[in-house]
Amino acid sequence: MKCLIRLHNLFLKTNRHYDAIRGRISINHMSQWQIKKYGKENSCLNLEQNATVPHINNPTDVLIQVYASSINPLDVLMRGGYGAELLNILRLSSGLCKPAATTTEFPLTLGRDFSGTVIDVGKSVNNVNVGDQVWGAIAPYKQGTHADYVVACASEISKKPQMLDHINAAALPYVSVTSINALCSVGGLSEYNCSEKKVLVFGGSGGVGSTAIQILKSWNAFVATTCASDAVEMVTKLGADLTIDYQTQDIERELVGGFDFVLDTVGTEVSRNLGLKLLRPWMNAKYVSIVTPLLKESGKRGVPLGIACSAGSLTSHVLQGAKEGKSVRWSFFQADGKALGKVSSLVDKGKIFPVVESVFDFKDVPSAFNKLEAGHARGKTVIRHR
């Protein structure tokens, strides 16, 4: 009987796989937003309505029909050429583009987050099936998600939370993975050691800050955060135990020192120095910033010198903290489907919810960029594809 059930399930999976491939072949073209040169204005954004649908090249690839995506500050920076030299090296090393005398990344599609449906899977994929609703965040050196279809690695995605529609789901992957990497992989926090921790989050109203607050509260940490006046109510509703309005209050005066952990999503010299000052001394307290100079310095000075300058800057900050037994670290985004799986579970348990500030139709992507560039984000800007 068990053998028959297995054969039946295999038959269904094979038929779904065949139907997906047949449907994909009949849809050879798609719409996507491209840039063919870098620029700080939206004039470099072009809607290509006859682009080729991407296809699976590797056994771990997954082809996804995108129902919603989002825009992150990284997308705005990348439109202007931020980190281009280093990202091109990563593209070459991963085989996503071939060496050439000229720049090889164009036409380039931006966008990291997505929520959608699996259309096809590589032969080694075993965590999702054709027809599954999934979400994910694509590595920055890959073609992005502001398109009808995208190819992701199976390790970059997980099944979408059942409690969220695609619009709300698209708001969480990039900021969730960024938060978990900073808090856990770099910072050493987890659901098992947070109940006695005091954590300060600089920039609680942004995408990463608002997500990190919820993750930390689901782990029973005490969370203090900073934000502007018009975001105090929103941040407090996320669960922050103490919210400081940096526009009307003196942060240093309002916050008593002795924090075990500082997450800096702002990344200014002021926030770094203040964060180090507010950490508990001689207790291996940790300051982690998600704002690093690596991509910027690599673009300005070239990759070797940029890496050297960034390493020198980090070393200086590490030594500054080490004088009082405090740990200073930088955290980088890394696509992580397993982390998304944990977040998905927290969402379905009602511990985390997305903070969506604005939703734009796919045809209005330039307007969405304008919205994000205006600054003072109160959550995420999401793109509705269909």
Side-chain angles (χ1 to χ4, degrees):
M1 186 65 180
K2 290 183 178 179
C3 290
L4 289 175
I5 292 174
R6 287 177 186 151
L7 286 172
H8 176 68
N9 290 337
L10 179 62
F11 173 76
L12 291 177
K13 181 177 180 179
T14 302
N15 273 338
R16 287 197 300 268
H17 182 76
Y18 171 74
D19 289 342
I21 293 176
R22 181 175 59 187
R24 182 163 63 87
I25 291 174
S26 65
I27 304 174
N28 295 317
H29 298 94
M30 67 174 185
S31 294
Q32 66 179 20
W33 283 93
Q34 301 176 339
I35 60 171
K36 298 181 180 179
K37 64 178 182 179
Y38 294 120
K40 294 184 178 181
E41 303 295 331
N42 278 336
S43 57
C44 64
L45 289 170
N46 299 288
L47 178 58
E48 173 58 60
Q49 296 180 300
N50 200 34
T52 301
V53 174
H55 56 276
I56 287 177
N57 291 314
N58 301 302
T60 57
D61 282 347
V62 180
L63 177 66
I64 297 123
Q65 185 176 21
V66 181
Y67 281 83
S69 62
S70 80
I71 297 180
N72 294 285
L74 178 62
D75 299 310
V76 177
L77 292 170
M78 286 180 63
R79 186 197 61 190
Y82 177 75
E85 188 172 349
L86 182 56
L87 292 175
N88 274 338
I89 291 176
L90 293 174
R91 291 182 183 107
L92 287 169
S93 65
S94 64
L96 292 178
C97 61
K98 299 178 180 179
T102 58
T103 305
T104 55
E105 68 268 40
F106 300 118
L108 179 64
T109 298
L110 302 173
R112 308 271 60 89
D113 299 285
F114 73 86
S115 181
T117 300
V118 175
I119 300 299
D120 194 11
V121 297
K123 62 181 180 181
S124 297
V125 176
N126 55 26
N127 60 326
V128 295
N129 296 312
V130 172
D132 284 346
Q133 294 188 352
V134 295
W135 65 347
I138 307 296
Y141 58 85
K142 295 184 177 182
Q143 290 290 351
T145 60
H146 296 163
D148 289 338
Y149 298 87
V150 69
V151 169
C153 180
S155 63
E156 296 176 315
I157 68 174
S158 80
K159 292 183 179 179
K160 177 181 73 66
Q162 296 180 4
M163 296 293 291
L164 298 181
D165 59 19
H166 288 294
I167 294 294
N168 284 283
L172 277 174
Y174 181 84
V175 294
S176 296
V177 172
T178 301
S179 297
I180 285 187
N181 189 57
L183 297 173
C184 304
S185 301
V186 178
L189 299 181
S190 73
E191 63 268 40
Y192 305 110
N193 65 6
C194 267
S195 60
E196 302 297 325
K197 294 286 193 301
K198 286 182 62 180
V199 181
L200 170 61
V201 177
F202 280 114
S205 64
V208 175
S210 61
T211 305
I213 290 170
Q214 295 182 81
I215 292 173
L216 288 164
K217 289 309 301 177
S218 75
W219 296 344
N220 297 314
F222 174 92
V223 181
T225 190
T226 65
C227 66
S229 303
D230 62 349
V232 169
E233 182 179 358
M234 181 200 84
V235 170
T236 302
K237 287 182 178 179
L238 295 177
D241 298 284
L242 179 61
T243 302
I244 304 301
D245 175 0
Y246 68 81
Q247 293 179 317
T248 63
Q249 296 175 280
D250 185 316
I251 298 175
E252 186 175 354
R253 182 177 297 176
E254 295 291 339
L255 292 176
V256 178
F259 285 93
D260 301 288
F261 192 99
V262 172
L263 175 63
D264 190 353
T265 74
V266 179
T268 64
E269 184 176 354
V270 172
S271 63
R272 184 183 69 249
N273 290 335
L274 185 55
L276 285 172
K277 190 173 183 179
L278 291 171
L279 280 175
R280 189 190 306 274
W282 307 112
M283 296 291 289
N284 196 32
K286 295 180 179 179
Y287 165 93
V288 177
S289 175
I290 66 168
V291 183
T292 75
L294 180 58
L295 291 179
K296 181 179 179 180
E297 291 292 341
S298 297
K300 183 169 65 174
R301 305 175 187 272
V303 173
L305 187 56
I307 292 175
C309 289
S310 298
S313 178
L314 177 59
T315 300
S316 175
H317 298 161
V318 169
L319 292 175
Q320 179 186 355
K323 293 178 181 178
E324 295 184 1
K326 301 171 183 178
S327 176
V328 177
R329 296 288 185 270
W330 289 343
S331 180
F332 300 87
F333 165 78
Q334 294 181 348
D336 189 344
K338 289 184 178 179
L340 277 178
K342 294 179 181 179
V343 174
S344 181
S345 177
L346 289 173
V347 171
D348 283 335
K349 291 177 181 177
K351 300 290 186 178
I352 296 177
F353 61 90
V355 181
V356 177
E357 182 180 22
S358 304
V359 179
F360 291 83
D361 288 332
F362 187 69
K363 63 181 176 62
D364 297 323
V365 162
S367 297
F369 270 80
N370 287 336
K371 169 65 180 67
L372 195 62
E373 285 184 279
H376 298 289
R378 301 294 176 259
K380 290 294 293 288
T381 298
V382 175
I383 309 299
R384 180 191 295 110
H385 287 232
R386 46 180 47 81

